[in-house]
Amino acid sequence: MPPSNESSPTPDTFILTGVPGMEHLHVWISIPFCCLYLGALLANGVLLATIWAEHSLHQPMYLFLAMLALADLTLSTTAVPKALALFWFRAGRISFGACLTQMFFLHFTSLVESVILLAMAFDRFVAICCPLRYGAVLTPRAVAGAGLAAVLRGFCAILPCVLLLRRLPFCGPRRIPHTYCEHMAVARLACADIRASRWYGLGLPFAVGVLDLLLIAASYALILRALARLPSRAARGKALHTLASHLCVLLLFYVPAAFAALAQRFGRIPPDVHILLANLYVLFPPLLNPVVYGARTRQIRDRVLKVFACP
């Protein structure tokens, strides 16, 4: 029998344990997880197919929405299939490299989504405050540049987290009390000083998220000031309807993300509650974002019915 690597300083594998104290309920927990994941795949797939098929939706607002759908699919697919394999088949083993890869894409995708939400806020700012310059400002090149900037910033911000973890020795247990490889859950297994990982993992992504939120709040303040000057009540109502959809998506993304990040580092909530909420963070926004936009945006709703209507 080969020697176990449970205490090797250079780990080959980690073991994801799922939800601590609820192992006997894993099969039951997997049912809503699977349903939510399939719903997210369907909702985002329909949204992407609709935007792709309808040339009239090839506008900045809907292109940013397509980027958000792609990011949502990446976020949920990075975490949920492995969690379901753990729940159904007790397949908790994950290689060190795969664990770091999963961790990278989870946090990378979150930062990418933050930039996309900022770009969507800027899109609404230009559309409402500078409508005559909308076509000149938000050109296809500008939209593509925003997507590229989101990817590059996310990559540059999260890569050091991975590099810091690779340098740590792991000479203790390999069991991660989680359903996926979260940054601090992995770092706490190291038998060395993890202050650099702790503060970088919290400081930079949190600062980046706060900066994005401040810029979004500034754009909303300018938008509301511009709306207050509109003479038409109908025009104000239409603009506020669009902003309400965006606000719902912002709350769905930032509130669970901030809670998950702070609870993992400073929280005193029970581990099982934290892990369940952390999983809802990778399930609910991907499921509800396309539903919110599809239900509240008439153009998308009409095009969905058109694309998928029976001939």
Side-chain angles (χ1 to χ4, degrees), residues 72-237:
D72 281 337
L73 287 174
T74 302
L75 180 65
S76 57
T77 301
T78 299
V80 179
K82 181 60 180 177
L84 292 177
L86 168 63
F87 292 152
W88 289 339
F89 311 114
R90 298 183 181 179
R93 287 189 175 273
I94 183 170
S95 70
F96 183 60
C99 186
L100 293 186
T101 300
Q102 185 187 53
M103 186 203 79
F104 171 83
F105 277 103
L106 281 168
H107 300 300
F108 161 79
T109 307
S110 295
L111 290 184
V112 169
E113 284 205 29
S114 185
V115 178
I116 294 171
L117 292 173
L118 174 59
M120 294 171 75
F122 180 72
D123 169 81
R124 291 301 86 203
F125 165 74
V126 177
I128 294 172
C129 299
C130 312
L132 297 180
R133 299 187 59 195
Y134 185 82
V137 173
L138 285 163
T139 61
R141 170 177 275 184
V143 173
L148 180 61
V151 170
L152 290 178
R153 194 190 72 168
F155 179 85
C156 293
I158 297 302
L159 182 62
C161 288
V162 177
L163 297 179
L164 285 170
L165 284 181
R166 286 189 63 88
R167 296 179 58 187
L168 292 174
F170 293 87
C171 50
R174 295 290 184 270
R175 298 183 178 273
I176 301 175
H178 214 304
T179 58
Y180 57 77
C181 292
E182 197 273 339
H183 175 249
M184 283 308 302
V186 177
R188 287 197 178 108
L189 298 181
C191 51
D193 188 350
I194 62 169
R195 282 179 295 181
S197 288
R198 179 190 297 273
W199 289 111
Y200 184 88
L202 175 66
L204 183 61
F206 196 75
V208 166
V210 169
L211 175 62
D212 290 345
L213 269 177
L214 290 175
L215 293 174
I216 290 171
S219 70
Y220 267 83
L222 294 172
I223 289 171
L224 292 175
R225 187 178 69 173
L227 290 179
R229 298 175 180 174
L230 289 177
S232 169
R233 179 176 296 181
R236 288 198 300 269

